[in-house]
Amino acid sequence: MEKTFFKNQTFQIFIIALLGFFICWNLYAFITTKSLVSLIPTIIQLIVLSLILMKHKHAKMGINLWSVLLMLGGGLVILGKLMKFFIGDDITDGLGKLVLNILILSAGIIIYNFNQKTVEVIRTDEN
């Protein structure tokens, strides 16, 4: 049987807390906007959180997938804001969202790197 092992327990707690925060954030977005689209990231985050809590062998892959989605989402918004800036639009009204997406992109990169370095899938003799 294979299980996911976190060499750095602080990273494990950080991932669980961050996933919990994003789940709450997306549920709040769903409640306020009544948009079913905000449930998609919530479902992905719940799946990744359950894989981590169960120490499932696919937890590392789930964290990688989630961090790549964070990087893609943040990166695409940043790219769009930069394109608006270069064509001459005023982006000062969306500066807060730009900073937020820079933070999301940075978090995705950090999570991916820590996951690659500190998380292992190990074989155990338990059944």
Side-chain angles (χ1 to χ4, degrees):
M1 174 179 233
E2 294 179 323
K3 287 193 172 218
T4 299
F5 174 72
F6 286 84
K7 294 180 194 175
N8 187 342
Q9 297 303 312
T10 307
F11 176 64
Q12 182 180 11
I13 293 168
F14 172 75
I15 288 291
I16 291 170
L18 192 62
L19 280 166
F21 171 75
F22 278 129
I23 289 168
C24 292
W25 184 4
N26 289 320
L27 287 175
Y28 173 75
F30 171 70
I31 291 169
T32 57
T33 64
K34 305 287 191 262
S35 172
L36 291 176
V37 173
S38 60
L39 287 181
I40 295 170
T42 306
I43 292 168
I44 293 170
Q45 292 156 0
L46 283 170
I47 291 169
V48 173
L49 183 62
S50 65
L51 288 173
I52 292 170
L53 292 176
M54 293 185 318
K55 297 186 183 271
H56 195 274
K57 65 181 179 181
H58 296 301
K60 181 174 182 168
M61 184 177 56
I63 296 170
N64 278 341
L65 175 68
W66 177 62
S67 64
V68 166
L69 290 175
L70 281 177
M71 289 186 279
L72 278 174
L76 289 174
V77 171
I78 293 168
L79 181 64
K81 293 286 185 189
L82 287 174
M83 288 172 63
K84 285 180 83 171
F85 175 73
F86 286 126
I87 62 171
D89 283 357
D90 183 29
I91 63 163
T92 55
D93 58 336
L95 203 55
K97 284 188 175 185
L98 181 63
V99 170
L100 177 66
N101 282 290
I102 289 172
L103 289 174
I104 290 173
L105 174 66
S106 301
I109 292 169
I110 291 168
I111 291 168
Y112 185 83
N113 285 333
F114 264 91
N115 190 45
Q116 291 299 102
K117 293 178 183 176
T118 65
V119 179
E120 291 181 347
V121 178
I122 58 173
R123 181 176 273 308
T124 62
D125 293 334
E126 300 174 10
N127 287 332

